[in-house]
Amino acid sequence: RLRTAETHSEVTDELSAKQAEVEELTDIVDTIQTLHGSLTESDSRAVLEETVCETLAGTDRIDFAWVGRPQGAETNLKPTTWAGQESGYLNRADPGGGADLLPAQRAASAHDRCSVPEIASNARDHAWAKRGLTAGFRSVLSVPLVHDGVLYGVLSVYESTEGAFDQPY
């Protein structure tokens, strides 16, 4: 009976964990469907970027999202659209000041995603990380918006938990 009770408890715990994963994946699919609809219905780039930021920031997985467009050099990004719990993060940024928006600038430079799962590990050496921590962010993911080798912008998303963007989904 003890083994049966232990087995039952383990199976129940595993089932609960799997149900939580299914709910999270369902939320992700719903978000993707919303974004897909935005892509087909948007009549301008600005409206599309605004909808993407609002949709992503409206999920449980993302606290803040912004899009920056290159100004001259690819790594000189100007924030154009944002949504979520910003807490003045972008207001204190100086995009022309070197590495002030470093994850986004790295994504722009490499034309590849840049993930910082622990912003705190960068706070000692980088102003952007200090500002991020002050705003309550613990992890960031920046993704370049590239078409035919041309960088059109960078989408950056922030979360208040460390390693938020490490999961495969």
Side-chain angles (χ1 to χ4, degrees):
R1 286 186 179 169
L2 287 175
R3 283 188 200 163
T4 302
E6 286 177 8
T7 302
H8 178 68
S9 178
E10 289 172 5
V11 169
T12 301
D13 291 345
E14 188 175 328
L15 180 59
S16 294
K18 294 295 180 189
Q19 286 174 329
E21 284 182 34
V22 167
E23 289 173 11
E24 188 171 0
L25 288 171
T26 300
D27 290 343
I28 291 169
V29 169
D30 290 345
T31 300
I32 290 171
Q33 288 175 336
T34 300
L35 292 172
H36 185 266
S38 298
L39 287 171
T40 59
E41 295 172 12
S42 293
D43 56 355
S44 73
R45 178 177 168 181
V47 170
L48 174 62
E49 290 173 355
E50 183 178 317
T51 303
V52 167
C53 287
E54 288 175 357
T55 300
L56 292 173
T59 67
D60 291 337
R61 292 180 54 96
I62 297 172
D63 290 328
F64 176 58
W66 67 277
V67 172
R69 292 185 189 169
Q71 305 294 304
E74 284 189 338
T75 59
N76 185 12
L77 300 171
K78 177 183 178 187
T80 56
T81 306
W82 54 89
Q85 303 168 10
E86 184 219 359
S87 302
Y89 177 73
L90 292 176
N91 293 337
R92 294 183 300 272
D94 177 16
D100 214 38
L101 299 169
L102 192 60
Q105 291 167 324
R106 282 184 181 163
S109 177
H111 287 215
D112 196 12
R113 64 185 235 122
C114 176
S115 177
V116 181
E118 295 178 16
I119 290 176
S121 66
N122 291 271
R124 187 170 163 198
D125 300 321
H126 299 286
W128 73 267
K130 291 173 189 168
R131 283 193 332 279
L133 289 173
T134 300
F137 305 136
R138 300 295 179 260
S139 56
V140 58
L141 173 66
S142 293
V143 180
L145 306 174
V146 178
H147 181 69
D148 287 337
V150 177
L151 178 75
Y152 289 93
V154 176
L155 170 66
S156 294
V157 293
Y158 295 76
E159 175 56 42
S160 60
T161 57
E162 287 186 356
F165 307 111
D166 290 349
Q167 296 180 3
Y169 49 83

